[in-house]
Amino acid sequence: MEVLAFGVQADERPLIERAFAGHHDVRCLDVFLNADTAPIATGHEVISTSVNADLGPHVLETLAAGGTRMVAQRSTGYNNIDLDAAERLGMTVARVSSYSPHSVAEFAWTLAMAVNRRIVRAATRTRDFDFRLDGLMGRDMHGRTVGVLGTGKIGAAFTRIAHGHGMRLLGWDMAENPACLRLGMTYVPKDQLLAESDLVSLHVPLMPETQHLIDAAALKAMKDDAILVNSSRGGLVDTAALVAELRGGRFTGVGLDVYESEAGLFFLDKSLEAIEDDTLARLVTFPNVLVTSHQAYYTEDAVGQIVDATVRNVLDYTAGRPSENVLVPRS
């Protein structure tokens, strides 16, 4: 059987090909799955997709009509998949339930430090042999307060990093993580966390309940000189509201590895095109904002674990075995 993998990055391809070797043939495509590319999957029982694939009802119907019976998504998040439509069409859907939490946690901390210490601005200046320090002053994180929204595996890994830098730890989640409590974290209501934190980092999944978790009211509750980092899902932040606050001169820095309208933009080269997204275009003009292209997970360790789990999901499907990674079981 040949597995068709959509949205494969150049660095990712050898890992996927090596992992599938000896099990199934795999064909890697750099194009992303959407309504235009879905017909390519005709004749493939199993496909693999990336987090920015469009797996809405129309695409799923096209896939099912072409013979696809299993979707193996190479990510933990699955808000891009219409699970009800997949079940109605008799399609099995699996994801990667976990991978190295350190990849995302370390990147989130890197974003925070980059905006705090004005690293991008400093590097740009020195390339022009401008070695002035004006406008580059940052702050020590030691002794300041970090607020961690979501204290699962990634949030806990981020908490350990912040604890190692001597920060006061505040957390918000549906359930308290004993590992974070042992580090000295205090769980508080969201509004209190936002009001007291010098650094706010988001580590919660995107669900209807968390859509725009950081909305206009939440942004206004934050300190004027706070740092905001989002390495989870773009929809957690109301970007239009964030732009409005930035225009008012608020926040020391904002580090975003995700964006709520990133589909069709992130992972692609748009450097020679006019960007029609006015909100994103405005966002990247602020000197205290750093936007990266959903790369927090992108380490050899994490991607290797993601690929290995994807192969296991396909093997479990072909063998008819149950798996904790299955979102819609085989009918």
Side-chain angles (χ1 to χ4, degrees):
M1 180 179 71
E2 183 181 69
V3 177
L4 186 63
F6 285 91
V8 177
Q9 304 296 313
D11 297 330
E12 186 184 15
R13 180 169 185 159
L15 298 177
I16 291 178
E17 292 176 339
R18 186 163 57 245
F20 271 102
H23 300 295
H24 294 291
D25 294 332
V26 62
R27 179 183 170 201
C28 295
L29 304 177
D30 58 2
V31 298
F32 293 91
L33 178 62
N34 54 40
D36 294 328
T37 60
I40 301 174
T42 299
H44 290 84
E45 181 180 352
V46 177
I47 67 167
S48 178
T49 58
S50 64
V51 67
N52 275 343
D54 175 2
L55 285 158
H58 176 66
V59 171
L60 289 171
E61 288 167 3
T62 301
L63 293 173
T68 299
R69 294 292 174 264
M70 195 265 183
V71 175
Q73 176 138 302
R74 302 187 306 278
S75 72
T76 299
Y78 53 91
N79 53 285
N80 61 316
I81 307 174
D82 190 320
L83 299 181
D84 292 334
E87 184 175 15
R88 172 174 53 81
L89 293 165
M91 301 177 71
T92 299
V93 178
R95 60 152 179 171
V96 177
S97 57
S98 65
Y99 56 86
S100 170
H102 309 292
S103 60
V104 178
E106 290 171 3
F107 193 84
W109 184 261
T110 301
L111 280 178
M113 294 306 98
V115 296
N116 175 42
R117 301 306 301 269
R118 314 295 199 270
I119 297 299
V120 174
R121 183 186 299 178
T124 301
R125 282 186 185 180
T126 55
R127 284 184 179 180
D128 294 330
F129 297 99
D130 179 353
F131 301 103
R132 293 172 300 157
L133 298 183
D134 296 345
L136 301 183
M137 184 175 288
R139 297 181 295 175
D140 289 359
M141 288 293 102
H142 182 88
R144 287 189 161 82
T145 299
V146 63
V148 184
L149 291 162
T151 56
K153 293 179 180 179
I154 296 174
F158 183 86
T159 299
R160 287 193 292 272
I161 296 172
H163 176 263
H165 283 76
M167 299 193 76
R168 174 189 175 221
L169 310 173
L170 297 181
W172 176 87
D173 209 327
M174 294 180 62
E176 298 181 353
N177 187 333
C180 293
L181 291 172
R182 287 193 293 271
L183 293 173
M185 173 172 277
T186 300
Y187 282 84
V188 296
K190 185 182 74 170
D191 287 347
Q192 181 181 345
L193 180 150
L194 295 174
E196 297 182 12
S197 296
D198 301 291
L199 165 60
V200 175
S201 191
L202 309 182
H203 301 285
V204 300
L206 180 61
M207 302 178 292
E209 298 81 9
T210 59
Q211 178 73 29
H212 287 178
L213 179 70
I214 303 299
D215 56 12
L219 292 165
K220 290 185 182 303
M222 293 174 61
K223 293 182 176 181
D224 287 343
D225 60 354
I227 294 171
L228 173 65
V229 172
N230 185 12
S231 58
S232 186
R233 286 292 182 268
L236 298 176
V237 176
D238 183 338
T239 317
L242 176 60
V243 168
E245 295 301 314
L246 289 165
R247 290 179 63 186
R250 300 190 65 223
F251 306 133
T252 289
V254 175
L256 303 175
D257 185 51
V258 288
Y259 173 60
E260 60 182 325
S261 300
E262 68 183 55
L265 290 173
F266 283 21
F267 306 143
L268 299 171
D269 182 2
K270 297 288 185 178
S271 60
L272 299 179
E273 302 178 25
I275 297 300
E276 298 179 358
D277 189 324
D278 292 338
T279 302
L280 179 60
R282 184 70 180 92
L283 187 64
V284 298
T285 64
F286 292 103
N288 57 334
V289 174
L290 176 57
V291 178
T292 52
S293 53
H294 205 144
Q295 68 184 81
Y297 77 98
Y298 207 54
T299 66
E300 292 181 6
D301 311 83
V303 174
Q305 292 168 17
I306 290 169
V307 169
D308 289 343
T310 300
V311 173
R312 289 196 302 272
N313 288 343
V314 173
L315 296 179
D316 287 341
Y317 163 79
T318 56
R321 293 189 296 261
S323 168
E324 64 177 4
N325 289 338
V326 173
L327 299 169
V328 179
R330 187 170 186 170
S331 57

